[in-house]
Amino acid sequence: MSSGSFARRTRLSSKALRLYAGNGLLAPAHVDPGNGYRYYDDGQIADARLIILLRGLDMPLGEIAHVLAAAADERPGLVAAYRDGVEATQLAQRHLASYVMSHLTRGEDRPMNVTTRSCDAMTYVTEKRRVDPAGIPDFIRSSCARLAPVAERLGGWAGPLTTIYRSPVNDDTDGVVENAIPVRSGVRPADVTAPTSILVEPAGELAYARITQAQVQYPQILQAYDEVYAWLAREGLTPSLPPREIYFAPFDDAHPEAEVCDIAVPFHR
């Protein structure tokens, strides 16, 4: 059928048809080489309907193309994954809005609970990289995938994944982030090869705030760091090691409101 007939059947404008064709979502079945007229098949109506539905979910064109290219039995899972991502983003934005309002009202909102615990001396296999805020999640995941086999070869994990911030990471500058998996004591630097390193930290105390998966998102995660450092200042305590995130629960599969991480700062009295 002609593009005009197809537009009437699908209730898509000519502009929309050109946009979707240009992005590879709904290419004409045939283009007349002489006059450039575009023609579509009846079988393309279902895809047009699906595009309209997915655009109703505010799904980006690139993700819609991924859904259209997938097998029929894979499409529901892709839409569910997109929905879950949107819900996680919305929840993160609600936490961020709460943080901003709390900041603007000078902390009238209920502050996070900061507590302490003792920790044993720890040995880690680590990997460092200079990253900006946007690159932190990818670095943590990719580094963990590289470090995990090393940790298993050295006897297995001896504690939760820990991400240590060797220098500030913010909108103005990138910084050095060290991803670390605890392993048994007695592991030596000679037991690993670059870029993996061995880090040994002494026993001590931690001040920490426990946060949810949604609160881990930047910049709302900064609230937890602010709360921990403010608590240390009020108590007259001095940080002894760099701040870190301790992921005691699986992050990617967690519900946005599930607690997954401690924002922690080692200190001495």
Side-chain angles (χ1 to χ4, degrees):
M1 72 187 78
S2 69
S3 60
S5 297
F6 189 73
R8 289 190 293 272
R9 287 282 303 274
T10 59
R11 298 187 180 181
L12 287 171
S13 68
S14 296
K15 180 180 178 181
L17 287 178
R18 288 193 296 272
L19 173 66
Y20 298 152
N23 284 273
L25 303 181
L26 197 62
H30 174 69
V31 178
D32 191 303
N35 54 31
Y37 288 169
R38 295 170 293 133
Y39 296 90
Y40 292 83
D41 288 336
D42 283 345
Q44 293 180 281
I45 292 175
D47 280 349
R49 299 279 189 236
L50 180 57
I51 291 171
I52 293 171
L53 293 172
L54 296 177
R55 289 298 287 161
L57 296 175
D58 291 327
M59 183 179 285
L61 296 182
E63 294 197 41
I64 291 177
H66 189 43
V67 173
L68 293 173
D73 60 346
E74 296 176 344
R75 290 178 172 182
L78 294 175
V79 175
Y82 171 75
R83 176 205 61 202
D84 292 345
V86 169
E87 291 176 353
T89 298
Q90 291 173 340
L91 183 57
Q93 289 175 338
R94 286 198 293 272
H95 280 289
L96 178 57
S98 177
Y99 170 60
V100 172
M101 290 186 291
S102 175
H103 176 73
L104 293 175
T105 55
R106 298 185 179 181
E108 292 176 9
D109 195 17
R110 182 175 64 85
M112 290 183 176
N113 181 51
V114 178
T115 188
T116 66
R117 66 172 180 262
S118 298
C119 56
D120 297 328
M122 296 293 296
T123 301
Y124 302 90
V125 290
T126 77
E127 183 178 273
K128 293 180 185 176
R129 181 177 298 174
R130 181 172 288 276
V131 295
D132 59 18
I136 291 173
D138 284 343
F139 169 63
I140 292 175
R141 292 186 181 94
S142 63
S143 175
C144 188
R146 290 186 292 272
L147 291 173
V150 179
E152 294 300 330
R153 178 172 58 82
L154 297 176
W157 293 45
L161 176 69
T162 300
T163 303
I164 302 168
Y165 291 82
R166 294 291 175 184
S167 58
V169 182
N170 53 48
D171 290 332
D172 296 325
T173 182
D174 55 9
V176 177
V177 178
E178 186 169 18
N179 216 34
I181 294 178
V183 293
R184 59 179 173 80
S185 61
V187 174
R188 302 166 301 168
D191 295 327
V192 299
T193 57
T196 303
S197 300
I198 297 297
L199 170 67
V200 179
E201 290 189 334
E205 291 185 274
L206 291 174
Y208 66 96
R210 182 154 291 185
I211 61 175
T212 66
Q213 194 238 39
Q215 290 172 310
V216 169
Q217 304 299 319
Y218 181 87
Q220 50 265 51
I221 193 173
L222 299 179
Q223 180 185 10
Y225 281 103
D226 291 345
E227 299 267 2
V228 174
Y229 276 107
W231 183 88
L232 288 170
R234 289 195 302 270
E235 297 295 319
L237 301 170
T238 303
S240 58
L241 291 170
R244 69 268 326 269
E245 296 158 13
I246 302 173
Y247 291 93
F248 57 83
F251 180 84
D252 289 330
D253 296 330
H255 186 274
E257 293 182 332
E259 293 180 333
V260 298
C261 178
D262 288 338
I263 303 302
V265 178
F267 66 90
H268 54 71
R269 298 184 182 275

